[in-house]
Amino acid sequence: IIMNSNKNITAVFTEIPPETYSLTINTDGQGDVTVNPEKAEYEDGDNVQLTAVPDEGWQFDHWEGDLTGDVNPSFITMNSNKNITAVFTEIPNTPPTIQKVSGPNGEVNEIDQTFQWMGSDSDGSISGYEYRKDGESWINIANTQYVWNTISEGTHTFEARAKDNDSAYSEVITWSFTVIIYSGNVDLVGPVYNGNILLVSNESTNENDSQNVGTLPNILNSKSAGKTDEIYMVDAILPYDGDLNENNLVSPDDIDNEEYSVGDTKLFWTYNFETGIYVQIISTLQYIGSNVEIWAEDTDDITLSRAQQLGEEFDNSIWDLVTTYFYTPSDVNGDGKVAILCFDIQDGFSGSGGYTGGYFYSGDLYTSGTSNHMEIFYIDTYPAMHYPKSSPVDVSKAYSILAHEFQHMVNFNRNVFVEKTGNMVTWLNEAFSMAAEHMYEGIQSSRINYYNSSSSIRNGHSLLYWDRYGDVLSNYSLSYLMGQYIRTQMNQVDYIFKEMLEDLNNGYGCVENAVKKYIDADMNFGDFMTSFRIALYLKESTGLYGFNGESGFDSLNTQIANSLPSTIRGGEAFFTEIDGGSFTESGDQGSDIQYAGIN
């Protein structure tokens, strides 16, 4: 520039746009690929997650193109245009397999017999099942269970096989057994007890009171129980070890009372069941309803629509069910709502057995160091909402868990805050929560299946002693069945649970009071426990030894003990066989041991 006057000059710079690249996804076979994040163009250095999702009957095999290997999901860095192919292969079809789940063995004395089996095929194409009895013609059946209710006395055979869409049959499985029809029913009066089966029951209401079972007949056989590979929900009522003084309760004055909106985030204390340590996680508010807030750690799992689905089910169905038949929640923080935090509860779940579906922590209602200062319970996302992990999230699978944990919350409010009588005993509190699940979705088949297959129950597991560090699944099964036995025997439908919850007794006493009121004024809780065990065995359609004819309990299959203990706890009971049709007590049994001869 020539300086011939005052000059003012500006240099203008423009940013060089970042280099962008395209991502092309192809599939070979039947399946799809999800891309996260999904963009039309990617900047240099972007990391992209690719997840191959096979269609039914297909499986992911490997990646080709600019991504190789068989890791799924996999990541790729965008430093050039990428062209990637996900290769899926068809799962080969093999003949189906079939295995026995339940059915009679040896000598039986029941006219009605339930046969149940399980079939599987590599491509999931089983089209039906067939059975036949005593060598007759094969008969088609739609499901995996058949009840044979016209069995005559004598020896019989029962056969079953599975069939797939290609008309391939599995190998045939066979039962052989002999039916013996006995007269009589239950003999509770000694010293001689008539029957072919002997029940040994410790009627003590103290779960730590072990008593001598007496001299018993030798075991006549050692038939094994069935085995189930199901997964089962357990939960926890986390203890609050702090001071229960009302001065330590959360109040609206103790907290900032910030009003949260959908999309806001917040730190929550959560419990890691693997390490036994409370840890904090960041969660996002995904739904606000009339009675509930839904918070989620992973908004990809609990999307806005899924949170709305979960929240509306709680508001429209579960809230009324629990508050009608049990009680109402507290409101220490004054927001008028129950919070539900959805996250993957860390419990060591490995693909079978029990997993923690949810929990309630009363410490959240107090000003403790790990308190979330609100009415809140916690719901698992995996495996509660999707199992296996590759399957999509289905929040409806956790609906019954909402009812279960909400009952624990209102139970605490009634017994601790309103009555000031302390927590309800665990076995009964869990019976109430599983009763809430039963009201919501009907028979809890998994609890019955576990009862049928549990070696611990068959050899005397206690109803009263909550074995949290042992076979706790047996406790859940027994508590569920006792809750339903109470309901069917009292003839008060589901309102019986509210009546017992409002009783100032928070243990067996509230059950005993109901028994004396609705069944027999002279019956105590120990007698009722013995009748409960007999009902599990006989399943009579009327009277004290059954479930009032409700068909959902017909699949109960009480096992005979294959190991006789010398002592049993209060609330424990087992069955053994009597040789010769009668048993004479030796007199060396504990004072609360009750025998029953059963035909």
Side-chain angles (χ1 to χ4, degrees):
I1 185 170
I2 297 173
M3 294 300 298
N4 52 14
S5 63
N6 294 329
K7 305 290 184 180
N8 190 311
I9 299 170
T10 300
V12 179
F13 301 91
T14 59
E15 186 176 5
I16 300 173
E19 190 168 2
T20 61
Y21 303 112
S22 63
L23 174 61
T24 303
I25 300 296
N26 311 290
T27 59
D28 183 354
Q30 295 186 21
D32 200 0
V33 177
T34 60
V35 181
N36 185 25
E38 187 171 9
K39 300 179 182 178
E41 295 287 338
Y42 294 90
E43 294 182 6
D44 187 31
D46 279 354
N47 286 318
V48 183
Q49 183 184 43
L50 304 178
T51 305
V53 183
D55 288 350
E56 184 175 354
W58 290 72
Q59 59 191 357
F60 172 71
D61 191 77
H62 65 279
W63 303 101
E64 291 183 352
D66 292 316
L67 178 62
T68 58
D70 58 3
V71 176
N72 186 37
S74 193
F75 292 85
I76 190 167
T77 301
M78 296 300 295
N79 49 21
S80 63
N81 294 328
K82 303 291 185 181
N83 191 306
I84 296 169
T85 299
V87 178
F88 300 93
T89 59
E90 191 170 5
I91 299 174
N93 184 27
T94 58
T97 60
I98 190 169
Q99 65 184 38
K100 175 181 174 182
V101 176
S102 67
N105 280 310
E107 292 185 353
V108 296
N109 67 331
E110 299 176 14
I111 302 300
D112 294 346
Q113 289 292 340
T114 299
F115 303 84
Q116 189 170 358
W117 55 91
M118 181 183 297
S120 60
D121 201 359
S122 62
D123 63 356
S125 63
I126 285 183
S127 61
Y129 299 87
E130 292 186 341
Y131 75 92
R132 67 180 177 182
K133 55 186 179 180
D134 295 333
E136 298 171 354
S137 299
W138 289 99
I139 299 174
N140 292 321
I141 191 169
N143 53 42
T144 62
Q145 183 169 298
Y146 172 74
V147 178
W148 188 358
N149 55 15
T150 57
I151 299 180
S152 60
E153 193 166 10
T155 301
H156 299 274
T157 60
F158 183 91
E159 298 171 284
R161 64 187 183 184
K163 180 182 179 182
D164 67 12
N165 288 330
D166 298 322
S167 298
Y169 286 98
S170 69
E171 294 184 5
V172 175
I173 57 172
T174 303
W175 286 268
S176 294
F177 58 98
T178 302
V179 174
I180 302 174
I181 300 177
Y182 295 92
S183 60
N185 193 3
V186 177
D187 183 359
L188 291 162
V189 181
V192 178
Y193 300 87
N194 294 305
N196 62 305
I197 297 293
L198 180 69
L199 168 67
V200 183
S201 172
N202 186 347
E203 294 185 344
S204 173
T205 57
N206 180 355
E207 67 270 25
N208 293 312
D209 181 14
S210 294
Q211 297 187 19
N212 192 340
V213 300
T215 303
L216 301 177
N218 293 327
I219 292 178
L220 299 181
N221 65 67
S222 57
K223 294 177 294 199
S224 61
K227 183 180 183 298
T228 176
D229 292 323
E230 290 185 68
I231 64 173
Y232 299 84
M233 193 278 284
V234 301
D235 76 323
I237 310 168
L238 292 182
Y240 170 58
D241 297 326
D243 190 347
L244 295 178
N245 190 298
E246 290 185 359
N247 294 330
N248 294 322
L249 280 176
V250 171
S251 72
D253 296 332
D254 297 329
I255 54 181
D256 57 14
N257 267 338
E258 179 181 353
E259 290 188 7
Y260 290 95
S261 302
V262 171
D264 289 346
T265 59
K266 175 179 168 62
L267 274 172
F268 285 87
W269 284 104
T270 62
Y271 188 71
N272 186 311
F273 288 85
E274 282 192 280
T275 62
I277 297 173
Y278 286 91
V279 296
Q280 284 188 304
I281 64 172
I282 298 175
S283 295
T284 305
L285 181 58
Q286 294 288 81
Y287 176 82
I288 303 174
S290 55
N291 301 299
V292 68
E293 293 178 346
I294 305 296
W295 294 80
E297 180 187 29
D298 188 339
T299 56
D300 288 335
D301 281 346
I302 308 300
T303 60
L304 291 173
S305 61
R306 288 170 180 158
Q308 179 180 357
Q309 183 184 347
L310 198 68
E312 288 180 348
E313 187 66 18
F314 184 84
D315 274 335
N316 299 334
S317 298
I318 295 168
W319 174 275
D320 285 344
L321 183 149
V322 172
T323 57
T324 298
Y325 294 111
F326 296 94
Y327 205 70
T328 54
S330 57
D331 188 24
V332 294
N333 64 344
D335 69 353
K337 289 184 169 52
V338 170
I340 300 174
L341 175 57
C342 302
F343 70 110
D344 184 2
I345 298 175
Q346 299 303 299
D347 55 6
F349 175 71
S350 60
S352 64
Y355 70 94
T356 304
Y359 67 91
F360 167 68
Y361 173 46
S362 57
D364 285 319
L365 310 177
Y366 294 87
T367 56
S368 67
T370 55
S371 171
N372 287 312
H373 300 94
M374 61 176 65
E375 279 73 17
I376 183 172
F377 57 84
Y378 308 81
I379 299 297
D380 183 52
T381 54
Y382 172 76
M385 297 182 186
H386 62 131
Y387 180 79
K389 210 160 196 173
S390 58
S391 62
V393 172
D394 181 358
V395 296
S396 68
K397 293 181 177 180
Y399 286 167
S400 65
I401 307 177
L402 302 186
H404 187 114
E405 301 308 325
F406 190 31
Q407 191 286 137
H408 287 320
M409 178 181 287
V410 303
N411 193 300
F412 184 87
N413 182 39
R414 174 66 197 184
N415 287 315
V416 178
F417 290 166
V418 178
E419 294 178 4
K420 298 179 172 49
T421 51
N423 288 293
M424 178 173 277
V425 294
T426 301
W427 73 264
L428 191 57
N429 200 340
E430 292 294 351
F432 280 23
S433 278
M434 285 181 284
E437 291 187 82
H438 184 100
M439 293 176 203
Y440 177 77
E441 65 179 2
I443 196 79
Q444 300 293 289
S445 298
S446 66
R447 302 303 181 193
I448 293 177
N449 292 344
Y450 197 85
Y451 171 86
N452 292 343
S453 64
S454 169
S455 60
S456 177
I457 290 175
R458 76 182 299 180
N459 291 321
H461 199 91
S462 175
L463 166 71
L464 307 179
Y465 179 76
W466 196 260
D467 192 12
R468 181 165 299 281
Y469 301 104
D471 185 10
V472 71
L473 291 173
S474 288
N475 282 106
Y476 277 93
S477 291
L478 288 172
S479 285
Y480 166 66
L481 291 167
M482 173 54 97
Q484 297 312 299
Y485 182 63
I486 290 170
R487 175 183 62 81
T488 55
Q489 286 295 317
M490 304 297 179
N491 289 318
Q492 301 301 304
V493 294
D494 295 321
Y495 289 104
I496 189 63
F497 298 105
K498 186 178 183 69
E499 181 174 337
M500 289 192 296
L501 182 52
E502 293 180 347
D503 190 312
L504 295 182
N505 289 281
N506 295 334
Y508 75 89
C510 68
V511 183
E512 184 171 273
N513 290 340
V515 168
K516 291 181 178 297
K517 179 178 179 180
Y518 295 114
I519 299 178
D520 184 346
D522 295 325
M523 179 178 282
N524 59 37
F525 181 69
D527 298 331
F528 191 65
M529 283 197 296
T530 295
S531 298
F532 164 62
R533 296 289 187 158
I534 298 172
L536 293 170
Y537 187 88
L538 291 180
K539 301 169 289 183
E540 293 181 347
S541 58
T542 59
L544 196 59
Y545 303 134
F547 292 81
N548 202 25
E550 291 192 8
S551 61
F553 300 99
D554 290 344
S555 60
L556 283 166
N557 183 23
T558 300
Q559 302 290 326
I560 303 300
N562 58 11
S563 176
L564 298 184
S566 58
T567 62
I568 54 176
R569 291 176 177 270
E572 286 190 345
F574 61 89
F575 295 86
T576 187
E577 293 180 310
I578 301 174
D579 190 11
S582 68
F583 164 73
T584 302
E585 65 181 56
S586 59
D588 57 349
Q589 70 273 19
S591 60
D592 291 303
I593 297 296
Q594 173 66 59
Y595 300 123
I598 302 172
N599 282 318

